[in-house]
Amino acid sequence: MLLIKGTSESSFVNALIVIVKVTIVVLIIILGWKFINPANHSPYIPPPEKYVDHQGVTHSFGGIMGILGAAGTVFFAFIGFDAVSTAAQETKNPKRALPIGILGSLAICTALYLLFGHVLTGLAPVSFFRDPSQGGEASVVAAIQNFMPGYKWLADAVTIAILAGFTSVILVMLLGQSRVFYSMSKDGLLPASFSKLHPKFQTPYKGNLIILLLVGLFAAFVPGDVVGHMTSIGTLFAFILVCAAVIILRKKNPISNASLKRLLCLCFLFWESFPAWQ
């Protein structure tokens, strides 16, 4: 409903949410740094081994395969940066603003992820995060409560940061999805209702309502951990697919740069920004 109201309103709310969650992440990095136990980082990259989780699934841990496996698991962290490009029509100076928005946010978030991961893995040993009764899905909160005495308020704030993080990402992805459907509808690839603008707010409100229903049903009936893994591997596959398609199309079916960019953006964003397809 916020996206139907307008881009400026949703951008303002999103900015407030991002400020809250980034502030909490920075506080964890700064305050948790002095609680790092060097023994937990020795060795920094553990030797390769096999690890069986509580669901009986075998994973590679340590070494290059462990790093690649972990990267595939958390690849969803990089969803959303490209979605900024779908708002190009609503940007005053897209040629300047879009590269700054995409690359700048990517650089900042990557730095925060690295620092946050360094602090968190320094607070507690690996066994703590593996044990569902200790860490589990609330491992950040549990690590702060157990290894940062006197900072229970920070553990409580993490819950707020998680909710804020999900909310801001969902907001951006739904914005991108509605704009992708709008462009595809304009090109005749989807029914005309997806490009129907609200008479007052001038936003593709019908597309937003359809997406609201589809995503809401998917989120309500599919387990969260399944959605997370599907989203990660789907995003990783989409990135690989688009990168390969650029090379193949350039060689086998050369077309103008503008047409190629439009085609790839539509295909990629349609796949990447809608979790149900993944």
Side-chain angles (χ1 to χ4, degrees), residues 3 169-179 208 211 215:
L3 291 171
V169 172
I170 290 170
L171 192 64
V172 172
M173 299 314 300
L174 294 183
L175 169 68
Q177 187 60 62
S178 63
R179 272 47 177 185
N208 273 124
I211 294 168
V215 174

Side-chain angles (χ1 to χ4, degrees), residues 31-49:
L31 299 176
W33 198 274
K34 63 182 180 181
F35 291 98
I36 292 177
N37 182 357
N40 293 330
H41 284 157
S42 181
Y44 203 83
I45 299 178
E49 61 177 83

Side-chain angles (χ1 to χ4, degrees), residues 104-120:
S105 59
L106 182 61
I108 294 170
C109 289
T110 300
L112 289 176
Y113 262 102
L114 290 171
L115 293 171
F116 189 90
H118 178 79
V119 170
L120 193 63

Side-chain angles (χ1 to χ4, degrees), residues 28-252:
I28 293 173
I29 293 171
I30 295 174
L31 299 176
W33 198 274
K34 63 182 180 181
F35 291 98
I36 292 177
N37 182 357
N40 293 330
H41 284 157
S42 181
Y44 203 83
I45 299 178
E49 61 177 83
K50 295 293 182 181
Y51 161 64
V52 180
D53 63 17
H54 64 283
Q55 295 178 329
V57 180
T58 302
H59 304 272
S60 294
F61 179 79
I64 185 63
M65 295 308 297
I67 293 173
L68 293 176
T73 301
V74 299
F75 205 83
F76 67 87
F78 292 93
I79 292 178
F81 297 99
D82 53 290
V84 176
S85 62
T86 62
Q89 293 173 316
E90 300 162 72
T91 307
K92 293 180 179 179
N93 185 8
K95 187 175 182 180
R96 178 179 181 273
L98 290 184
I100 293 175
I102 294 173
L103 297 178
S105 59
L106 182 61
I108 294 170
C109 289
T110 300
L112 289 176
Y113 262 102
L114 290 171
L115 293 171
F116 189 90
H118 178 79
V119 170
L120 193 63
T121 54
L123 289 178
V126 173
S127 58
F128 178 84
F129 298 106
R130 285 179 173 176
D131 188 350
S133 64
Q134 291 184 319
E137 293 185 357
S139 56
V140 178
V141 174
I144 295 173
Q145 289 177 338
N146 285 273
F147 299 97
M148 291 180 62
Y151 286 96
K152 185 182 181 302
W153 62 269
L154 186 59
D156 296 334
V158 168
T159 303
I160 299 174
I162 292 172
L163 291 174
F166 278 134
T167 304
S168 64
V169 172
I170 290 170
L171 192 64
V172 172
M173 299 314 300
L174 294 183
L175 169 68
Q177 187 60 62
S178 63
R179 272 47 177 185
V180 170
F181 278 4
Y182 173 83
S183 297
M184 294 178 71
S185 177
K186 283 289 187 180
D187 292 341
L189 300 174
L190 285 176
S193 59
F194 284 97
S195 57
K196 180 73 173 177
L197 298 180
H198 193 281
K200 179 180 179 181
F201 304 128
Q202 294 300 300
T203 56
Y205 70 105
K206 288 188 176 181
N208 273 124
L209 291 174
I210 294 172
I211 294 168
L212 180 152
L213 178 64
L214 293 176
V215 174
L217 290 173
F218 193 80
F221 295 104
V222 181
D225 57 342
V226 174
V227 175
H229 288 303
M230 290 174 67
T231 304
S232 287
I233 201 65
T235 306
L236 179 59
F237 179 73
F239 272 70
I240 294 172
L241 191 67
V242 172
C243 291
V246 172
I247 300 173
I248 294 171
L249 286 174
R250 288 259 185 216
K251 296 293 183 181
K252 293 190 174 182

